[in-house]
Amino acid sequence: MFMLIQLVVIVLAFVSHEHEAMAAYVPPYTSVVVPVNKHTDAAKPLYSVQIMTAYVNMQFLHADFLIDIDAPFIWHDCIVQWNMYPGSCPSNTLCTGPVSCEEYQCTDVRASYGYKNPPCAPETNTSTLPGWGFCTCPVNVVNPVTGSCSQALLNYDDFTVNTSDGRNVFNGLYGAYPNAACAPSSTFASFPANVSGVMAFSTSPYAFPAYLYQPLKKTFALCLPSKPAPGVLFYGTGPYYLFPQSNVDVRSYLSYTPLVKHPDSFGYFISVNSIVIKKRSINVPTDASTRLSTIDPYTTLRTNIYNGVVRRFSMVTKRLRPAKPVAPFGLCYSTSTTGLKVPDIDFSLPDGKKWTVSTTNSIKQVTSEVACLAFVDGGATSEPAIVIGTFQFEDNFLEFDLENSTLGFSSSLLLRKQTSCANFNFTLTNSP
């Protein structure tokens, strides 16, 4: 009996030691990382991430997905196939497993979004796959380029990304297994070349962040490039490093403001108290909401706010030679002689914080001789009242902390000794 007790004590001590060792384990990575590419060959500038999809012939296939921080779930060019076996998937096609209309994910995903504009056709449970015997799960998707509505089939998917310590990209891999949706290839005709999906980074329980677990923290950081060279997206806590300040954690540049929940949206909203141009404030109504968008190319303002901004900006730039406005902009300047340097535009935020929009993010060079204020009139009743678009994001470092519901923002990195979003080192290194 005594020997049995001793054995139990030894076993318990061993188990306790193993648990302590597991708890003490610190992985060599703090985040996963993917390159961000800018596309200018669609109806508007768009940005994509490149992610590994299927493992074929001893290597991973890669696909490019539009970054959408509003989308409720991931959808891309693939098919669902229930009886997968070697050779069953057509060549040059990505095959995934179907979700049945009888499974809880089908009802849950359909209930998690409600597209009212544009109106989408109601989903039905009438479709099936040959020989399967179950109904598939069609879900509605909205094309972020055209705004049109289509249907896709909910699936069981898997994606793979590289790990990182914020300075290096490791050859160690991290897998995520979301419910996404398969749409026909024709759905992506309006997308930029070689982009074949939408990667959802919203707060939805079916967006990509919801499928990334410990040890990764529920934080993602986005740095959109202004040029063809890739920017970077991290998921997980920092540090984050960019050349040439390769020993400076970019988080040291950030100010923080609360993210605001908005009914019927999985997107990200902040509070803007006013817009300040050269010490003069343009009032923003207290009930006005401000959304962040990776699809809208320029900041859009409700007409009453827009008029105030244009009026004040015209006043402080009256030394500049005006030019005929070029759609969609309402205030343009001649740049036939010299480049423009204009006053900063500050979004005044709670707790005295301000997000500064400097010349590189406020003035868009439209032609070799014309540059315009990159803010757009959204109309008298536009909702939300302010949408901050991607031109204002370029070469700004944004950190979305989903656990603490805060947004970190750097303002222009170009003012930091020529750091930019294209300055991350994507050279692959061995995991420690």
Side-chain angles (χ1 to χ4, degrees):
M1 184 67 175
F2 176 72
M3 292 181 64
L4 179 61
I5 292 172
Q6 276 190 316
L7 180 60
V8 170
V9 169
I10 291 170
V11 170
L12 289 176
F14 176 78
V15 170
S16 176
H17 175 75
E18 287 294 301
H19 277 279
E20 287 176 7
M22 290 174 66
Y25 171 71
V26 178
Y29 61 91
T30 55
S31 60
V32 296
V33 63
V34 289
V36 175
N37 292 304
K38 181 177 180 178
H39 304 270
T40 57
D41 58 338
K44 55 187 174 183
L46 293 163
Y47 305 80
S48 70
V49 287
Q50 188 176 86
I51 291 180
M52 291 173 266
T53 53
Y55 192 68
V56 178
N57 295 329
M58 303 298 291
Q59 63 181 0
F60 279 100
L61 303 180
H62 293 77
D64 293 319
F65 296 77
L66 291 183
I67 301 169
D68 192 340
I69 59 175
D70 286 292
F73 53 86
I74 305 159
W75 55 284
H76 62 120
D77 185 357
C78 57
I79 65 172
V80 292
Q81 189 168 310
W82 70 272
N83 58 341
M84 282 189 282
Y85 54 87
S88 66
C89 187
S91 60
N92 300 318
T93 303
L94 180 61
C95 295
T96 61
V99 171
S100 162
C101 67
E102 298 175 1
E103 294 179 77
Y104 78 90
Q105 294 99 323
C106 185
T107 303
D108 205 31
V109 168
R110 288 174 176 176
S112 71
Y113 65 84
Y115 292 121
K116 299 176 183 177
N117 186 22
C120 294
E123 307 96 337
T124 65
N125 294 334
T126 57
S127 63
T128 187
L129 300 175
W132 189 35
F134 297 96
C135 49
T136 54
C137 179
V139 290
N140 287 324
V141 294
V142 172
N143 185 316
V145 181
T146 64
S148 60
C149 194
S150 304
Q151 288 199 339
L153 294 179
L154 200 65
N155 71 358
Y156 292 101
D157 223 318
D158 62 274
F159 300 106
T160 305
V161 288
N162 288 98
T163 56
S164 173
D165 62 358
R167 178 181 278 112
N168 304 290
V169 182
F170 297 138
N171 55 10
L173 301 176
Y174 186 102
Y177 307 96
N179 289 120
C182 289
S185 300
S186 58
T187 310
F188 305 96
S190 59
F191 279 39
N194 301 318
V195 176
S196 58
V198 171
M199 187 58 62
F201 282 98
S202 68
T203 61
S204 164
Y206 289 93
F208 193 54
Y211 295 92
L212 302 174
Y213 304 106
Q214 291 288 352
L216 298 176
K217 302 295 184 183
K218 289 191 173 297
T219 298
F220 74 92
L222 177 64
C223 207
L224 297 184
S226 57
K227 297 178 180 177
V232 62
L233 186 148
F234 298 95
Y235 184 90
T237 187
Y240 316 111
Y241 298 100
L242 299 171
F243 289 124
Q245 307 298 310
S246 55
N247 291 317
V248 178
D249 184 351
V250 178
R251 292 179 300 177
S252 66
Y253 301 154
L254 304 184
S255 298
Y256 294 88
T257 193
L259 288 168
V260 180
K261 290 189 182 298
H262 196 275
D264 303 321
S265 176
F266 292 122
Y268 298 96
F269 293 77
I270 60 174
S271 294
V272 173
N273 296 333
S274 63
I275 299 175
V276 181
I277 304 173
K278 217 167 184 180
K279 299 182 180 180
R280 291 283 182 91
S281 295
I282 294 91
N283 182 55
V284 173
T286 55
D287 61 345
S289 56
T290 299
R291 180 170 61 86
L292 308 177
S293 173
T294 53
I295 299 300
D296 294 276
Y298 308 105
T299 291
T300 302
L301 306 173
R302 190 180 291 163
T303 298
N304 59 335
I305 303 171
Y306 176 82
N307 288 342
V309 168
V310 168
R311 191 160 45 244
R312 176 61 182 164
F313 204 80
S314 298
M315 188 175 297
V316 300
T317 57
K318 56 186 177 183
R319 62 183 172 79
L320 300 176
R321 194 154 56 117
K324 183 179 179 181
V326 177
F329 309 115
L331 181 62
C332 297
Y333 303 94
S334 171
T335 58
S336 56
T337 52
T338 59
L340 298 184
K341 179 68 174 75
V342 299
D344 292 339
I345 299 173
D346 292 329
F347 290 108
S348 177
L349 309 174
D351 301 322
K353 303 293 176 63
K354 66 177 181 179
W355 182 347
T356 297
V357 180
S358 55
T359 302
T360 53
N361 295 110
S362 66
I363 297 295
K364 168 71 175 176
Q365 194 73 39
V366 180
T367 70
S368 60
E369 297 187 347
V370 176
C372 301
L373 177 65
F375 286 66
V376 176
D377 185 351
T381 59
S382 63
E383 182 57 41
I386 301 174
V387 177
I388 302 179
T390 53
F391 187 76
Q392 281 67 44
F393 289 175
E394 289 185 344
D395 291 316
N396 283 237
F397 197 92
L398 303 178
E399 184 186 58
F400 297 79
D401 186 335
L402 307 187
E403 288 187 7
N404 298 305
S405 198
T406 59
L407 173 73
F409 56 94
S410 67
S411 299
S412 180
L413 293 173
L414 300 178
L415 305 177
R416 305 278 184 174
K417 296 184 179 180
Q418 291 302 300
T419 300
S420 79
C421 287
N423 283 24
F424 181 72
N425 178 19
F426 277 102
T427 304
L428 202 63
T429 61
N430 292 327
S431 298

